[in-house]
Amino acid sequence: MTQHTPEPEDVFAWIDDAERVREQAGLVRTLRPRPASSPLLDLASNDYLGLSRHPETVRGACEAAGRWGGGATGSRLVTGTTELHAELERELAAFAGFEAALVLSSGYAANLAAVTALSGRGTLVVSDAGNHASIVDGCRLSRAEVAVTPHSDPEPVRKTLAAHGGRALLVSDSVFSVDGDAAPLAAYHAACRAAGAALVVDDAHGLGVLGEGGRGALHAAGLAGAPGVVATLTLSKSLGSQGGAVLGPAKVIRHLVNTARAFIFDTGLAPAAAGAALASLRLLQREPERAHRVREVAAELYGRLTASGLTAARPDAAVVSVRAPSAPAALRWAADCREAGLSVGCFRPPSVPDGISRLRLTARADLTGDEISRAVGTVLRTAPAGATDL
């Protein structure tokens, strides 16, 4: 007689419960493939300078792919480093005011590489409470002692570093992605100098927007190339491409090449992305007014939205964050904007550290006056009940 093995219990049954909880809280996230050409007015992407489709950026990607192929073919230490990667690193470092640079496959990987390679057991890592998830994950993987300090508050940072007495580093975003506010970099640097600690700054939202000609937040603060200062950044925002980089003293970059697992064991950045980023960087150097224009657009969006009663954080760079009454209201608001022809970001827990849901509008240097008016009108017209009472 044939014996039948009973069907195993669904080992992923717990996912059903988790999905129900997300649905009830209005926190379900879905992928929405976009077409190559969309009728939506885009205030959701991070294409701050409007370069992702610029003919020079696209040509840079195409020429690099035609010359070097579709992929890097291996890790940077094996076959994944091309002459193009080295050229991009030299020009990035020179533009931002640092001695050397190292290009990685993403901004996420750049933060993992910098935080883990510059810390470790016996090190103290002080992390601003508003930091991006990639910094948080770098801290978790670092095996260091981690102290999370209140958002943008230099005094707890100073006290925490002073109490440690050993090797330490402070890591912070330059511009925080939720509210678009800038970190107190000068005060953070002073705290690090007093304690003999390193300062690592994620300038993902500063490069191309802040500083002279878009050279970044550290350049604006007079800290680019300063001793003990390291920057991380992404090539996927202002430069309209993909990838990330770490900038700092040459010996720090050599250390990362030899110790950063997120660099050593990852395939190199695709040549097309490196070519696109390099083309955008050169374009920005010829047209530095783009950085000023994106800040103008952000200020105008903020001014017109708040004048109409909405609550928004004053933008220090390109991000304009508008508060919503609840997570479900934020989700509905973003959907209504989309139906009206406007694409905006929707930030809900756990992406928002304070638990307050928001619409996030990202300014672009190439937005026209009519497009700004259209965006403001759409956000106001679709605002949920209670949005002007926050």
Side-chain angles (χ1 to χ4, degrees):
M1 184 173 69
T2 303
Q3 291 187 342
H4 295 283
T5 303
E7 289 294 324
E9 185 178 342
D10 184 0
V11 296
F12 295 120
W14 59 272
I15 291 179
D16 299 328
D17 295 331
E19 286 183 340
R20 281 190 290 271
V21 171
R22 282 194 293 270
E23 289 173 358
Q24 291 168 1
L27 300 179
V28 174
R29 287 161 169 78
T30 57
L31 296 173
R32 187 184 291 111
R34 62 177 174 85
S37 179
S38 172
L40 296 175
L41 176 59
D42 175 26
L43 268 74
S45 75
N46 294 316
D47 189 15
Y48 297 145
L49 302 184
L51 296 182
S52 66
R53 290 178 177 267
H54 192 283
E56 292 188 30
T57 302
V58 174
R59 186 163 57 250
C62 292
E63 290 177 355
R67 182 178 182 188
W68 299 102
T73 75
S75 69
R76 290 284 309 272
L77 287 169
V78 183
T79 58
T81 296
T82 68
E83 294 170 355
L84 184 63
H85 289 86
E87 191 174 6
L88 175 58
E89 287 166 345
R90 286 193 299 271
E91 295 198 20
L92 268 177
F95 177 73
F98 286 85
E99 187 178 6
L102 183 68
V103 166
L104 294 92
S105 61
S106 70
Y108 204 109
N111 276 335
L112 292 186
V115 175
T116 57
L118 296 177
S119 60
R121 287 193 173 95
T123 305
L124 171 68
V125 178
V126 180
S127 177
D128 187 292
N131 279 341
H132 188 263
S134 56
I135 295 176
V136 174
D137 288 352
C139 291
R140 290 171 175 170
L141 291 170
S142 69
R143 301 184 180 182
E145 176 188 350
V146 177
V148 178
T149 53
H151 179 50
S152 287
D153 190 345
E155 186 58 20
V157 169
R158 186 190 65 78
K159 291 180 178 178
T160 302
L161 289 173
H164 178 65
R167 185 154 63 97
L169 63 93
L170 165 63
V171 59
S172 175
D173 285 351
S174 65
V175 177
F176 297 92
S177 61
V178 173
D179 272 336
D181 56 316
L185 293 182
Y188 277 177
H189 181 247
C192 288
R193 283 185 61 98
L199 175 63
V200 178
V201 177
D202 178 0
D203 205 21
H205 298 277
L207 181 74
V209 179
L210 300 177
E212 179 188 351
R215 284 173 169 77
L218 285 163
H219 193 278
L223 298 176
V229 175
V230 170
T232 65
L233 50 85
T234 177
L235 312 178
S236 64
K237 294 181 171 61
S238 288
L239 297 185
S241 182
Q242 189 168 354
V246 181
L247 286 66
K251 66 179 178 181
V252 168
I253 300 306
R254 291 195 300 270
H255 178 70
L256 263 64
V257 168
N258 284 277
T259 64
R261 295 171 65 85
F263 171 81
I264 295 170
F265 298 104
D266 193 17
T267 298
L269 182 68
L278 187 56
S280 290
L281 181 63
R282 291 170 175 172
L283 179 60
L284 175 57
Q285 292 181 80
R286 294 201 317 274
E287 301 179 2
E289 65 275 7
R290 287 178 179 266
H292 178 68
R293 173 58 182 165
V294 73
R295 298 195 301 270
E296 281 187 335
V297 173
E300 184 171 355
L301 287 169
Y302 166 80
R304 294 175 65 172
L305 291 170
T306 54
S308 298
L310 296 179
T311 299
R314 184 181 296 275
D316 287 324
V319 172
V320 181
S321 184
V322 184
R323 292 197 171 194
S326 66
L331 191 63
R332 182 69 259 168
W333 197 357
D336 289 344
C337 284
R338 186 177 183 83
E339 289 176 10
L342 174 67
S343 178
V344 298
C346 179
F347 274 32
R348 297 163 289 154
S351 299
V352 286
D354 57 8
I356 299 173
S357 296
R358 298 159 168 83
L359 291 192
R360 195 183 78 157
L361 285 62
T362 51
R364 291 206 330 267
D366 60 340
L367 287 179
T368 66
D370 287 344
E371 288 172 329
I372 294 171
S373 294
R374 175 183 161 195
V376 170
T378 301
V379 172
L380 294 174
R381 187 170 61 252
T382 57
T388 57
D389 300 325
L390 300 174

